[in-house]
């Protein structure tokens, strides 16, 4: 099964062979094994896990947020808004960003629109924290 | 002697200018590399999203207000992308002239402008055209979330029926030395541009986790955002390319001037030495006869 993960700013994986994949779908986690039926779904904010085919076990983890995935005859394409691995994240920075967002969320005069973006951002940062633990 | 001194100061001032243009060229080249990389990284995402969107829309036969072409165009929003700073050759001028021509040749539309970059604003301000909105400092702050903000705002205007079409005019980055001014229609989205070879393999019994219409709506929004981001990237890369070649020309011109000035300087010095020698030797000749 070939996995491709791309974001607008970088290519994370390009047709890499994997044998198992867990995608954080909007309605819960989706597990995908080779031979999965064609599927289109949106992604929530969460940790995407995959297992490379030449490795026995152990999952690689990537924090993704807000995107799409398309499963087609043994190819999986994930289009994510952002995708960060553990190495690319800094615990202090993430903690600080989360604090900032929570502070902003205290503001009682936020428009529903702003509220939604901030909440999205909050979930993204929480996912990062979960990955770092 | 005063002539010699003047030339010497002139040479040193041209040398300073040369150093500055050389430095600017280096800076532009370094930034250009980064901007080029950004475009290359974006391309697979943009292509994938377009083909997924086309797959979903065509296989489920859904139509969406953002995909439908209006029969009669009345109000059009023109987004013009320029740079904030000059010194990049014809980059800004070409684009402003193109936009102005478009404005004059499409009097039947009610045109509104959205300027990204200071140069377009000042160009049109001089001609008494004011934008509905503007944005600066693109080259420093360019990022996907920023494009998302702009795209969201544009899309809202479009859905509310404020505009029947949204056009972008920007410099398409072709190579480091050439840019092309292009006009693209961004909304309504044209699906015929999507690659068609995948449609055959597209399975009919596709599982949708969420309703196709909702998915398509999301996809169109993402597609539009990506398009906005792409043309921002192109414009920034083209700006650096234009600046790089403009500065290279400037450096070359400065070198030309320096070599010409040095030649005149040497000639003048030589002639003054010759005059002095003649004076000395004729003086010595006069002494002999006494």
């Amino acid at each position: 099964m070939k996995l491709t993960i791309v974001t607008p700013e970088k290519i994370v994986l390009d047709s890499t062979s994997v044998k198992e994949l867990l995608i954080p779908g909007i309605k819960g986690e989706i597990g995908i094994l080779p031979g999965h039926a064609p599927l289109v779904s949106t992604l929530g904010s969460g940790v995407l896990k995959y297992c490379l085919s030449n490795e026995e076990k152990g999952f690689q983890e990537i924090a993704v947020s807000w995107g799409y995935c398309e499963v087609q005859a043994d190819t999986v394409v994930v289009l994510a808004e952002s995708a960060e691995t553990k190495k690319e994240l800094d615990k202090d920075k993430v903690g600080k960003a989360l604090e900032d967002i929570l502070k902003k969320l205290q503001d009682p005069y936020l428009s529903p629109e702003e509220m939604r973006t901030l909440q999205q951002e909050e979930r993204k940062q929480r996912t990062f924290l979960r990955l770092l633990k | 002697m005063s002539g010699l001194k003047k030339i010497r100061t002139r040479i040193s001032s041209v040398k300073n200018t040369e150093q500055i243009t050389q430095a600017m060229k280096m800076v532009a080249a370094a930034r250009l590399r980064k901007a080029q990389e950004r475009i290359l990284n974006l391309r697979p995402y943009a292509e994938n999203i377009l083909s997924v969107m086309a797959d979903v829309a065509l296989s489920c036969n859904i139509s969406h207000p953002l995909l439908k072409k209006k029969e009669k165009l009345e109000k059009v929003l023109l987004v013009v992308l320029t740079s904030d700073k000059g010194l990049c050759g014809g980059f800004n001028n070409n684009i402003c002239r193109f936009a102005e021509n478009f404005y004059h040749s499409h009097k039947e539309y009610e045109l509104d402008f959205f300027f990204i970059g200071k140069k377009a604003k000042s160009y049109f301000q001089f001609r008494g055209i004011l934008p509905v909105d503007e944005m600066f400092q693109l080259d420093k702050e360019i990022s996907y979330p920023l494009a998302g903000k702009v795209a969201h705002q544009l899309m809202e205007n479009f859905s509310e029926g404020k505009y029947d079409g949204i056009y972008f005019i920007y410099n398409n980055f072709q190579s480091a030395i050439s840019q092309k001014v292009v006009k693209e229609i961004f909304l309504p989205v044209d699906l015929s541009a999507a690659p068609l070879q995948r449609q055959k393999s597209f399975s009919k019994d596709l599982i949708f986790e969420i309703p196709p219409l909702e998915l398509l709506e999301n996809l169109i929004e993402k597609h539009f955002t990506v398009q906005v981001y792409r043309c921002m990237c192109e414009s920034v890369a083209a700006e650096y390319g234009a600046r790089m070649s403009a500065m290279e020309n400037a450096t070359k011109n400065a070198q030309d001037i320096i070599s010409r000035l040095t030649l005149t300087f040497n000639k003048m010095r030589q002639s003054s030495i010759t005059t002095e020698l003649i004076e000395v030797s004729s003086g010595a000749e006069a002494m002999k006869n006494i």
Side-chain angles (χ1 to χ4, degrees), chain B residues 77-91:
Chain B
L77 179 70
L78 214 57
V79 184
V80 184
L81 282 99
T82 53
S83 67
D84 283 350
K85 291 179 199 126
L87 290 179
C88 43
F91 178 83

Side-chain angles (χ1 to χ4, degrees), chain A residues 4 6-11 26-28 30 36-42 68 70-72 77 79-81 113, chain B residues 41-42 44-45 48-49 52 55 143-145 152 198 201-203 206-210 215 218-219 222 229:
Chain A
T4 305
V6 284
T7 75
E9 272 148 358
K10 65 187 176 208
I11 303 162
I26 197 108
K27 289 184 176 169
I30 311 166
H36 195 283
L39 166 105
V40 174
S41 176
T42 40
Y68 303 86
E70 193 188 11
V71 183
Q72 285 277 350
V77 180
L79 306 171
E81 292 273 277
E113 189 62 40
Chain B
N41 283 342
L42 176 68
Y45 186 86
N48 271 318
I49 212 156
V52 172
D55 279 352
S143 71
Y144 185 68
H152 189 81
R198 276 184 29 152
S201 67
F202 198 71
S203 159
L206 192 69
I207 307 170
F208 285 101
E209 274 258 305
I210 58 169
L215 180 71
N218 275 324
L219 278 172
K222 289 283 130 62
Y229 183 56

